[in-house]
Amino acid sequence: MRYFLCFYLMSLVCLGQNQYPKDFFTLPLEIPMQLSGNFGELRPNHFHAGFDFKTNQREGLNVHAAAEGYVSRIKISTAGYGKAIYITHPNGYTTVYGHLQKAVGVLQDKIEELQYSGKSYEIEAFFKPNELPVKKGQIIALSGNTGGSEGPHLHFEFRDNKTEKIINPLFFGLDLKDTKKPIVSSLLVYPIDANSTANESKIPVMLNLSLQKDGTYLSEKVLATGRIGFGINTVDWDDVSYNANGTYKTQLISNGIPVFGYQLDQMVFDEARSVNAFIDYYRYKKTHQRVQKLFMKYPYNWSNIYQNVDNGIYNVIPNFTGLGRIEVSDFFQNKTIISIPIQYSNQAAIVLNPIKPTKYFVKAKVDANFEKENFSVSFPAGTFYDDFYLNFDVKNNVLYLHDDTVPANSNFTITVEDTNSSEEDKKKMFLASLNGKKWTYNATKLVGTTFTCRTKTLGQFTLMKDTNAPTIKIAKSIEDKWITSQKSVSLTISDDFSGVKTYNGYLNDVWVLFEYEPKLNKITHVFKDNLLLEGANKLKVIVTDNVGNSTIFETQFNRSQK
């Protein structure tokens, strides 16, 4: 196993140096490259799949095709990458451009054609090589802030066409100056099980670090018994981006041999959620700190990790003395090194584990079902990463299903029986979950008297009814006004409970495109001359929530086509 790990690491380095073309692609923006997010960075529920390029805190910058090829996919969504364009290149790679404000030229024409033919703002379409060819450097879009973006930027990534893996963009010769070492802000030691103790504690302990003359760090001594592991909170800074990003490579080394680590050369898209097993998820939910665990108590599916037979765990037995070593590197081989002296100690624990056993124990690899009153919960095997004691109760028609400090890898099912509500009431009911202080909608199926939802989040659930229709407002009335010079019309739409499900706009009784920006609760229609009449025009918008309540907004305005 030790020889395999060394060979594996050497192979990764060789692949990274030689596999990818360095001069085929160019930057997609006209401004110097600055990153607000890098490859593999730790994000909520996923590892980041590419680069986030800063766009000077504004939208509307020209986005260029990084190389010749053809547009193979276009996806327009209110979530995720928002407006996204995929370009397939002749050398076996695809580049992705996300959170766009809009496409330009024939690409925008094609998008609008598909939206009108499907009568939907959200679309997804795939194209053949001869349909939408592009040249290197061609302007394909304008940068934006659509989808799940939290500010104006361009998401950019590389995918391998054969393996469908996402590739670290730095392998393709993108020029980023970085002379700074990663920063480790904290180091923790973890007692792994009930028989383990570290520095007189049964729960994770933060270790003090001291800077040495050679630039490395020395941890305070770990006095332990039983199985222990280590975790770090670390970020990297480059010379030009002025904000912290993720690190590239981390190794835990014992006696000169790597025993656990990761290297972010490429990623499998379907493994992105494993970030919740990789980090100390409980600490993240409580403190918003993402501590990377350099051990596996239970194996999980993230192919970037390599480990020895002990999964990075030290078994500290009598007479054990050792020296752990953590090396954290960025892509440009700037490295931070921490040495950790470890010694056996039979000191009794002063700090005990506050988690108390319950009668509901969930084994991660085994199906589990729980019932109380009219609620039932089904956890298929593999729903969770770790075994844990579940807090489970029903009080006053509310299901208390632990809390969100335990991450789920996949959906589980909640059902509730309701034999009291009328058939009409049931049509407006759904399983709601408590998000902070607000009850929010979960997609719910009703069969007979049984309501069912699937979710990945533990917490509180109850049946609720929504009889309030959505609201539609216009900031400045256009009723019976002449608006010949006005280029567009915007409305705010919202639903304070089950949420907006559909919206449709009609101009003179013909369906027209409204673009939806959920972050602003705004829909916008850009007027087109061929859809307008001389003189009076009628506008109608229908918004429906997730349980079927609808609101209709109607107005009339005047327009001159001369």
Side-chain angles (χ1 to χ4, degrees):
M1 175 62 72
R2 292 180 176 180
Y3 295 112
F4 169 76
L5 287 171
C6 292
F7 176 77
Y8 176 79
L9 292 173
M10 292 175 62
S11 300
L12 287 176
V13 173
C14 292
L15 282 172
Q17 291 176 344
N18 302 319
Q19 186 174 354
Y20 306 104
K22 300 294 190 294
D23 55 2
F24 186 83
F25 297 97
T26 189
L27 289 173
L29 296 174
E30 298 165 3
I31 59 175
M33 181 171 67
Q34 290 185 320
L35 301 181
S36 59
N38 66 348
F39 185 76
E41 187 172 84
L42 309 179
R43 296 285 181 87
N45 296 317
H46 69 285
F47 297 97
H48 190 235
F51 276 1
D52 282 346
F53 289 133
K54 294 183 179 182
T55 56
N56 294 334
Q57 299 180 341
R58 63 187 182 93
E59 300 182 38
L61 274 61
N62 290 334
V63 177
H64 300 260
E68 65 174 304
Y70 70 96
V71 173
S72 54
R73 180 186 181 194
I74 293 174
K75 185 174 183 179
I76 310 296
S77 174
T78 57
Y81 291 166
K83 297 182 181 181
I85 293 174
Y86 299 70
I87 299 178
T88 296
H89 305 282
N91 63 347
Y93 299 99
T94 291
T95 50
V96 183
Y97 311 76
H99 305 305
L100 303 170
Q101 182 189 81
K102 62 181 296 183
V104 299
V106 296
L107 298 183
Q108 183 63 20
D109 293 341
K110 175 58 70 173
I111 289 171
E112 291 185 9
E113 175 191 324
L114 293 168
Q115 289 172 323
Y116 271 92
S117 64
K119 293 185 178 181
S120 173
Y121 168 68
E122 294 192 290
I123 60 165
E124 183 175 20
F126 298 87
F127 305 94
K128 297 178 181 178
N130 60 344
E131 292 186 272
L132 294 172
V134 295
K135 296 180 180 179
K136 183 174 184 176
Q138 177 181 329
I139 299 174
I140 59 169
L142 301 179
S143 67
N145 185 29
T146 56
S149 170
E150 296 181 354
H153 71 278
L154 174 68
H155 177 84
F156 180 68
E157 66 183 64
F158 289 90
R159 299 186 182 183
D160 186 301
N161 295 342
K162 290 183 179 179
T163 66
E164 297 186 352
K165 290 183 178 180
I166 315 155
I167 312 299
N168 192 327
L170 287 174
F171 283 123
F172 295 91
L174 304 186
D175 186 21
L176 180 69
K177 186 178 181 181
D178 183 356
T179 61
K180 299 178 180 179
K181 295 180 180 180
I183 295 173
V184 177
S185 57
S186 57
L187 168 67
L188 289 85
V189 59
Y190 285 77
I192 300 298
D193 49 41
N195 297 321
S196 303
T197 302
N199 290 11
E200 302 180 322
S201 176
K202 291 288 187 180
I203 63 174
V205 177
M206 194 171 295
L207 300 171
N208 294 320
L209 299 175
S210 58
L211 181 63
Q212 306 299 293
K213 291 182 179 180
D214 62 357
T216 65
Y217 289 87
L218 177 64
S219 163
E220 68 173 290
K221 182 179 291 186
V222 175
L223 300 174
T225 181
R227 300 167 72 230
I228 63 170
F230 294 98
I232 57 170
N233 190 3
T234 180
V235 295
D236 187 42
W237 294 72
D238 60 51
D239 294 0
V240 296
S241 298
Y242 310 111
N243 58 269
N245 288 309
T247 54
Y248 167 66
K249 175 182 175 182
T250 294
Q251 293 186 85
L252 174 63
I253 299 169
S254 182
N255 297 321
I257 302 297
V259 295
F260 193 93
Y262 68 87
Q263 185 165 316
L264 291 167
D265 293 337
Q266 56 189 20
M267 291 191 301
V268 178
F269 203 84
D270 291 342
E271 296 177 357
R273 194 173 176 86
S274 293
V275 67
N276 292 336
F278 176 57
I279 64 172
D280 181 341
Y281 192 81
Y282 180 88
R283 181 176 291 268
Y284 165 63
K285 297 301 290 188
K286 293 294 186 180
T287 69
H288 301 292
Q289 297 176 350
R290 293 186 175 96
V291 173
Q292 304 171 18
K293 295 185 296 186
L294 303 183
F295 63 91
M296 280 186 181
K297 183 178 180 180
Y298 301 95
Y300 55 88
N301 187 32
W302 189 38
S303 54
N304 290 74
I305 280 182
Y306 50 88
Q307 71 278 339
N308 68 349
V309 291
D310 296 319
N311 296 324
I313 294 173
Y314 288 81
N315 188 19
V316 184
I317 59 177
N319 300 318
F320 179 97
T321 299
L323 185 67
R325 178 183 174 97
I326 296 174
E327 296 184 356
V328 186
S329 307
D330 61 26
F331 187 86
F332 300 95
Q333 305 306 311
N334 303 302
K335 185 182 297 185
T336 296
I337 298 173
I338 301 171
S339 296
I340 312 169
I342 308 168
Q343 183 178 319
Y344 171 79
S345 171
N346 60 1
Q347 292 176 327
I350 297 175
V351 181
L352 303 180
N353 193 329
I355 297 177
K356 296 181 179 180
T358 71
K359 62 181 180 179
Y360 306 104
F361 187 67
V362 177
K363 292 186 177 181
K365 304 304 180 185
V366 179
D367 292 346
N369 298 283
F370 303 100
E371 295 183 5
K372 187 171 183 179
E373 297 181 10
N374 57 332
F375 282 93
S376 63
V377 181
S378 176
F379 299 130
T383 298
F384 300 102
Y385 301 104
D386 296 344
D387 301 347
F388 69 103
Y389 285 100
L390 175 75
N391 294 314
F392 175 80
D393 203 356
V394 176
K395 298 178 182 178
N396 300 319
N397 294 317
V398 176
L399 169 65
Y400 292 83
L401 190 61
H402 209 79
D403 57 49
D404 66 353
T405 59
V406 174
N409 177 50
S410 56
N411 283 312
F412 56 90
T413 302
I414 299 172
T415 62
V416 57
E417 292 286 334
D418 180 4
T419 58
N420 297 320
S421 299
S422 68
E423 293 303 313
E424 285 302 309
D425 282 347
K426 287 177 185 176
K427 294 177 182 178
K428 303 296 183 183
M429 295 172 67
F430 59 92
L431 271 162
S433 55
L434 189 61
N435 185 4
K437 296 182 179 180
K438 184 178 180 181
W439 290 98
T440 57
Y441 173 83
N442 289 290
T444 304
K445 182 184 295 186
L446 172 63
V447 178
T449 60
T450 303
F451 292 86
T452 303
C453 79
R454 289 167 56 79
T455 180
K456 293 180 181 177
T457 306
L458 296 169
Q460 297 178 35
F461 298 84
T462 192
L463 269 180
M464 304 200 84
K465 183 171 65 173
D466 180 6
T467 58
N468 296 322
T471 60
I472 307 174
K473 297 179 181 179
I474 187 167
K476 186 176 181 181
S477 175
I478 59 173
E479 182 74 24
D480 294 329
K481 294 181 180 178
W482 286 88
I483 57 168
T484 301
S485 61
Q486 189 168 319
K487 295 181 179 179
S488 63
V489 61
S490 295
L491 304 168
T492 56
I493 64 173
S494 62
D495 186 87
D496 62 0
F497 202 2
S498 64
V500 172
K501 182 178 182 180
T502 63
Y503 67 94
N504 285 282
Y506 301 88
L507 186 58
N508 302 315
D509 298 321
V510 176
W511 186 92
V512 292
L513 174 67
F514 273 83
E515 296 206 359
Y516 183 28
E517 181 45 78
K519 292 190 289 286
L520 303 175
N521 292 327
K522 185 171 75 172
I523 58 173
T524 301
H525 171 67
V526 178
F527 291 124
K528 296 183 180 300
D529 289 343
N530 64 318
L531 299 176
L532 292 162
L533 300 176
E534 178 70 26
N537 289 264
K538 295 186 300 180
L539 178 67
K540 180 167 72 172
V541 174
I542 304 172
V543 179
T544 304
D545 67 18
N546 277 292
V547 294
N549 301 306
S550 292
T551 298
I552 299 175
F553 172 90
E554 294 182 282
T555 191
Q556 182 171 295
F557 62 91
N558 299 309
R559 188 91 173 187
S560 175
Q561 299 296 86
K562 298 178 182 179

